[in-house]
Amino acid sequence: MTSLLRTAPRALRTATLTSRAIPLIHQQFRLKHDHLNPPEGNPAVTGRSPPEPPREEAIALKNNTLSGSYLGTTRRLPEFNLNDKVVLVTGAARGLGLVQSEALLEAGATVYALDRLEEPSADFYRVQKRAAEELGTTLHYRQIDVRDVPQLNEIIQSISESQGKMDGLITAAGIQQETSALDYSQKDANMMLEVNVTGTLMAAQAVAKEMIRHGRGGSIAMIASMSGSVANKGLICPVYNASKAGVLQLARNLAMEWGIHGIRVNTISPGYIVTAMVEELFIKYPERRHDWPTQNMLGKLSQPGEYRGAGVFLISDASSFMTGSDLKIDGGHTAW
């Protein structure tokens, strides 16, 4: 098998590895790596300051050919450092939620990923392993559907008790359905709103209660969408768009109510993101791969990694005077 792969055309080797090797790799990870008992890095410690700049910085500052910038140390934008923070991310078993989790880990946070999947994606294990071995922190996993409010509350309270703090939340759990308004069923509409709006509220509520109990304040960032501000041309998603508009308004009201407790609430409104789900959509609607980039000012589609900095910014003290605001990252789609 190995020799055949070596002599096969590159495209065939790639297709073979994609279709056969990835499930095998996932299975091997499951045998050796329990996502519920992750490899651990340094725990979150209250009051711990950012790390001192590395010794290499002093050398680099004397050598004009090397970079002298080390973000997140005592000398370089320490307000971005999350080394003493405990942050939850819903919908983080894969996709945008997992990308946000990895960025938070890189900034030093201890992260708890919450998702309804019994087993997270194969890439989750890579991030979990990297957190402990390269980043000195820990990525935990808790299986929960945001619609199961009693269990959601129990899990969040348990995390708060075990860590002795609760500092941040990114709500990335959400579902999408492309159905015309004339064809939408009550059941499907209710499910969309229950996950995207009520689920977001319930997660934020549970986290806010723990933040208030610990008396340290905190920051909540909700993944909304540019679709909460405009009707997407040619994309028939009336209830999804309404749900994201609901997230925008929900965040403003929570910011108003919880500001007195030092809790900030903001939203991120992404444009079109090329995810595995969207790639499958392009197979069904190939014209969208060409049409969607023409609808924004940059003439391209975004990648999940282009939103990494936004989540870290909103959770960190770098945005300490920002609340009730929406951070649009849509390539100028809604600014025409």
Side-chain angles (χ1 to χ4, degrees):
M1 178 66 180
T2 303
S3 60
L4 287 175
L5 281 175
R6 287 174 179 166
T7 58
R10 182 176 182 180
L12 177 59
R13 296 201 310 269
T14 302
T16 303
L17 286 171
T18 300
S19 61
R20 297 180 182 178
I22 288 179
L24 179 59
I25 292 170
H26 194 177
Q27 184 178 14
Q28 290 173 342
F29 265 122
R30 289 174 61 184
L31 291 173
K32 299 178 181 178
H33 185 146
D34 182 358
H35 60 281
L36 297 178
N37 294 287
E40 295 187 2
N42 297 325
V45 177
T46 301
R48 181 170 56 191
S49 63
E52 292 295 324
R55 288 178 294 176
E56 290 83 355
E57 183 181 73
I59 299 172
L61 291 174
K62 297 177 181 178
N63 185 333
N64 200 37
T65 63
L66 300 175
S67 173
S69 179
Y70 292 83
L71 187 66
T73 66
T74 53
R75 194 174 294 168
R76 305 289 186 180
L77 291 174
E79 61 269 31
F80 280 95
N81 193 282
L82 300 177
N83 74 93
D84 65 337
K85 305 292 186 183
V86 174
V87 184
L88 276 58
V89 183
T90 66
R94 58 189 175 185
L96 183 60
L98 180 56
V99 170
Q100 290 291 319
S101 297
E102 187 168 17
L104 294 167
L105 290 162
E106 288 182 17
T110 295
V111 178
Y112 283 80
L114 278 56
D115 202 292
R116 64 185 178 87
L117 299 181
E118 183 178 347
E119 288 278 346
S121 66
D123 197 40
F124 183 91
Y125 297 98
R126 176 193 63 81
V127 177
Q128 197 173 53
K129 189 170 183 287
R130 180 178 179 235
E133 296 182 1
E134 297 180 25
L135 305 176
T137 184
T138 309
L139 173 60
H140 303 267
Y141 189 77
R142 298 290 185 271
Q143 183 190 3
I144 180 64
D145 188 321
V146 293
R147 293 174 297 172
D148 186 350
V149 178
Q151 188 181 6
L152 178 68
N153 289 335
E154 182 179 335
I155 286 175
I156 291 175
Q157 185 175 5
S158 174
I159 293 170
S160 174
E161 291 286 350
S162 66
Q163 293 289 342
K165 56 165 62 180
M166 182 67 66
D167 301 297
L169 167 69
I170 295 181
T171 60
I175 58 174
Q176 164 69 299
Q177 181 176 325
E178 195 168 345
T179 304
S180 71
L182 292 176
D183 296 320
Y184 235 110
S185 69
Q186 180 184 15
K187 179 180 178 182
D188 286 349
N190 285 341
M191 177 177 288
M192 178 74 67
L193 295 171
E194 187 176 12
V195 173
N196 292 3
V197 182
T198 306
T200 297
L201 170 60
M202 293 295 100
Q205 179 191 80
V207 167
K209 286 180 179 179
E210 296 306 310
M211 289 177 172
I212 292 170
R213 185 164 69 89
H214 291 298
R216 291 165 43 87
S219 180
I220 297 172
M222 300 176 172
I223 303 297
S225 173
M226 68 176 184
S227 302
S229 300
V230 296
N232 305 59
K233 184 178 180 180
L235 187 62
I236 311 303
C237 299
V239 184
Y240 174 82
N241 290 11
S243 74
K244 292 304 182 178
V247 171
L248 292 171
Q249 184 65 353
L250 173 64
R252 297 185 191 106
N253 282 270
L254 298 184
M256 175 190 67
E257 288 191 37
W258 297 343
I260 192 172
H261 301 291
I263 299 173
R264 300 181 294 107
V265 186
N266 295 286
T267 53
I268 300 173
S269 285
Y272 289 125
I273 310 173
V274 180
T275 61
M277 183 175 65
V278 170
E279 287 287 5
E280 292 178 6
L281 198 63
F282 286 159
I283 296 174
K284 186 177 181 180
Y285 304 102
E287 70 280 1
R288 292 180 180 178
R289 189 186 294 274
H290 173 267
D291 292 343
W292 282 0
T294 67
Q295 295 174 15
N296 67 60
M297 297 175 181
L298 295 179
K300 67 175 187 177
L301 300 177
S302 69
Q303 301 294 324
E306 294 183 87
Y307 302 88
R308 286 163 39 91
V312 172
F313 168 68
L314 290 178
I315 295 299
S316 75
D317 291 339
S319 58
S320 60
F321 196 57
M322 182 176 179
T323 196
S325 297
D326 179 46
L327 195 56
K328 278 193 175 65
I329 309 176
D330 63 358
H333 187 114
T334 61
W336 287 111

